[in-house]
Amino acid sequence: MLRSILGDEAVYFSPRTGNLFHKGRECYLDEAGGRFIIGDLPNDDIVFETASSFLHIYSYGILFAADAEGTIRLTHQKILEARFFLVPENTFTLLAHFFQNGLTYAGETEKREVKVHDFVIDDGENRFSLEANIKVSLHDERIVLLTEEVFLIEIEKYRPLVYFCAFGGEGYLETLFTSIRSYMMFSKANLNFLIFTNIYDVDLPPDLKYAPVRIIRMPSVAMNSRYYKRYSPEIAEYFREYSPIVYSDADIICNNDITDMLRTVHASNRFFIACECGRRTKDFVLRSGWFIGSFLLRDKSLSEDDVRPVNSGFFAFRSFQEFSFISQAMQMIAHNIIKLEGFNNNVLDQSSLNYLLIKFCEYDCFYLNDIVITWPDSDFSKIARAGIVHFCGHGNLIGNFETKEEGVKAYFDYVQSVVKAEQQQAIPAEAEKEEEVQ
């Protein structure tokens, strides 16, 4: 029987080096023999796992499954359901190696070899030969596959992502983790999460260890780069496998279903951004520097009527392709704006993004107004369950709490209690309906 190299932890495959890693220990690829050589640990199955959605691929009674992070499971039982287009680019690299070279297991007293004669991808409705679709790339905006009956099917690429940038202290990360919990509990969406941070000694808390959350560490060397980092091309490269994509500040709590919003963004080529409409006077929007900086003075093609109080703490777009122009242009601005202005409100990312959207982009700053609440009331009971609540700004802005972090956590706890009460009230109502039917 195949035996596991795992225990309870994941094994990671690097397509760049061809190496496997488990608990920080490097496994290796036998280049000469063209096989993966896997070390020995006691268990019944070979398992490369993290969590979330899995793909099942069958070969001679052995079931392969892969999740969103490219980890693989070989098992004899079909225990998880998913569709194969969730598998990322790295997984296809690994599967192609299995298909071409097979897999070798080396145990303490035995050595077993698995020869792969046929690889079939089964999404529950159609079967696709891996050999016929070996060039499939999830980096492509449109994914077309060839079935065993030799006809083409286009696969919808719907894999929602929420990403965060944490280029600050660990207290900020704690608030970010609270935000992720709220999305997982209340959004009613199957979300993936990426955290980009310059903090190198932080790990996920225990309750998020098996959640679809990935921490990506990268440097942020200047103060203004912390604001512009969310648009950077090096971050955007991670978006290729996702659609739609949402940026969220850490001080945001999801308090209700956002599946309709995600579908709306997924079906559009517009850039959706939150707006502080109704809160800001026109004079403040035009003169404060927060929303248009000094672009209105320098670029005579702009009209005052085009400028609106957008809030860059929450925005959404369909795909990497839709975001790439904004990413490149914001990078150009970030590298040069301080040279012109010095460091003040005029150089922050929000005004630059607003300028870019007005000047060049198809964008929508109205749709999210009914979903995103900015600068919410300190009385939690007065905050509408619209979907997204953004506790904007700095300092003590939430009731009598000493820090904003405490206030955000308190609001999350409040929503939990409200949802729990609603669920308890729904149980007797459902029971009454069943009695009436009987």
Side-chain angles (χ1 to χ4, degrees):
M1 173 180 282
L2 293 172
R3 301 166 70 89
S4 174
I5 67 170
L6 281 183
D8 295 328
E9 298 189 23
V11 164
Y12 298 93
F13 168 68
S14 170
R16 291 183 295 274
T17 64
N19 293 334
L20 298 171
F21 297 87
H22 175 248
K23 294 184 177 179
R25 171 191 169 199
E26 184 174 343
C27 307
Y28 65 95
L29 173 65
D30 177 11
E31 298 285 358
R35 300 171 300 186
F36 284 102
I37 304 301
I38 301 178
D40 50 284
L41 282 177
N43 240 329
D44 293 330
D45 301 314
I46 293 179
V47 181
F48 300 43
E49 91 176 329
T50 50
S52 188
S53 299
F54 283 76
L55 160 72
H56 300 289
I57 301 174
Y58 295 88
S59 177
Y60 290 88
I62 299 172
L63 182 136
F64 289 71
D67 80 348
E69 296 301 330
T71 55
I72 303 295
R73 175 189 294 264
L74 281 71
T75 178
H76 297 284
Q77 297 180 354
K78 187 174 182 179
I79 58 174
L80 295 169
E81 295 292 338
R83 300 173 69 87
F84 92 97
F85 59 85
L86 292 179
V87 170
E89 196 78 10
N90 292 359
T91 302
F92 280 111
T93 304
L94 181 58
L95 296 180
H97 186 92
F98 286 163
F99 178 73
Q100 293 164 356
N101 302 298
L103 176 69
T104 296
Y105 162 70
E108 292 181 357
T109 59
E110 59 183 353
K111 184 174 181 179
R112 296 282 180 98
E113 189 170 293
V114 178
K115 290 290 188 182
V116 181
H117 299 283
D118 186 30
F119 244 129
V120 176
I121 301 168
D122 189 337
D123 72 350
E125 299 174 8
N126 300 284
R127 288 165 62 86
F128 307 88
S129 164
L130 184 63
E131 184 178 18
N133 293 281
I134 200 72
K135 299 299 183 182
V136 168
S137 172
L138 291 191
H139 288 182
D140 295 338
E141 189 168 16
R142 298 180 70 178
I143 303 172
V144 178
L145 301 168
L146 187 71
T147 71
E148 287 189 327
E149 290 78 22
V150 194
F151 63 88
L152 295 171
I153 293 178
E154 182 169 2
I155 301 297
E156 180 188 33
K157 187 176 177 179
Y158 182 76
R159 188 182 173 209
L161 170 72
V162 178
Y163 79 98
F164 302 84
C165 290
F167 297 97
E170 291 190 18
Y172 188 85
L173 273 171
E174 290 304 314
T175 303
L176 189 157
F177 293 144
T178 300
S179 181
I180 289 176
R181 293 181 184 104
S182 73
Y183 279 107
M184 293 180 65
M185 289 186 184
F186 311 127
S187 71
K188 297 186 179 179
N190 184 20
L191 296 170
N192 299 274
F193 302 93
L194 295 180
I195 301 170
F196 299 93
T197 182
N198 60 348
I199 303 171
Y200 281 83
D201 58 348
V202 64
D203 294 311
L204 290 171
D207 65 311
L208 296 179
K209 182 178 180 181
Y210 297 104
V213 182
R214 183 180 175 192
I215 297 176
I216 299 167
R217 295 170 176 84
M218 57 177 56
S220 179
V221 296
M223 179 60 74
N224 77 318
S225 74
R226 294 186 179 185
Y227 297 99
Y228 283 85
K229 201 74 172 180
R230 68 194 71 174
Y231 316 97
S232 71
E234 61 183 325
I235 282 179
E237 281 296 320
Y238 287 88
F239 300 158
R240 291 180 181 271
E241 297 173 12
Y242 301 96
S243 179
I245 299 151
V246 173
Y247 170 76
S248 176
D249 273 358
D251 55 358
I252 282 177
I253 294 296
C254 176
N255 70 0
N256 215 333
D257 188 338
I258 60 170
T259 53
D260 286 346
M261 181 205 79
L262 293 170
R263 282 291 180 183
T264 297
V265 174
H266 181 63
S268 175
N269 62 358
R270 292 171 293 169
F271 185 92
F272 293 84
I273 189 165
C275 185
E276 297 180 20
C277 299
R279 177 179 174 82
R280 303 297 188 182
T281 65
K282 184 175 182 179
D283 183 69
F284 182 84
V285 171
L286 296 176
R287 314 301 172 199
S288 68
W290 286 104
F291 299 104
I292 197 60
S294 61
F295 291 105
L296 191 64
L297 299 175
R298 298 196 310 273
D299 191 334
K300 300 305 179 182
S301 68
L302 296 186
S303 165
E304 290 187 356
D305 294 333
D306 294 329
V307 182
R308 300 189 182 277
V310 300
N311 187 314
S312 63
F314 187 91
F315 55 78
F317 49 94
R318 180 172 61 186
S319 66
F320 165 82
Q321 287 79 7
E322 302 292 338
F323 189 63
S324 58
F325 169 76
I326 291 175
S327 176
Q328 295 292 339
M330 287 293 281
Q331 188 84 343
M332 293 168 64
I333 294 174
H335 286 168
N336 294 278
I337 190 70
I338 285 186
K339 297 177 184 177
L340 178 69
E341 298 276 5
F343 190 80
N344 55 50
N345 291 350
N346 290 339
V347 306
L348 298 180
D349 72 288
Q350 187 163 274
S351 60
S352 298
L353 178 63
N354 202 9
Y355 168 67
L356 188 62
L357 295 176
I358 295 168
K359 185 85 174 177
F360 296 110
C361 301
E362 290 288 332
Y363 74 102
D364 188 320
C365 63
F366 298 106
Y367 172 73
L368 292 178
N369 289 351
D370 293 330
I371 299 168
V372 180
I373 298 172
T374 57
W375 304 91
D377 199 294
S378 60
D379 182 348
F380 294 162
S381 66
K382 294 181 180 180
I383 301 175
R385 297 272 299 286
I388 300 294
V389 182
H390 186 187
F391 294 94
C392 310
H394 300 282
N396 179 14
L397 299 173
I398 310 174
N400 297 317
F401 299 98
E402 292 185 4
T403 66
K404 184 165 72 169
E405 289 76 13
E406 292 179 7
V408 171
K409 176 62 165 59
Y411 179 66
F412 169 69
D413 293 339
Y414 169 81
V415 176
Q416 273 191 297
S417 66
V418 171
V419 170
K420 184 177 181 179
E422 291 173 348
Q423 292 171 342
Q424 290 175 341
Q425 291 174 1
I427 293 174
E430 290 296 326
E432 290 178 6
K433 288 182 182 179
E434 291 180 3
E435 290 179 1
E436 290 176 0
V437 171
Q438 293 175 355

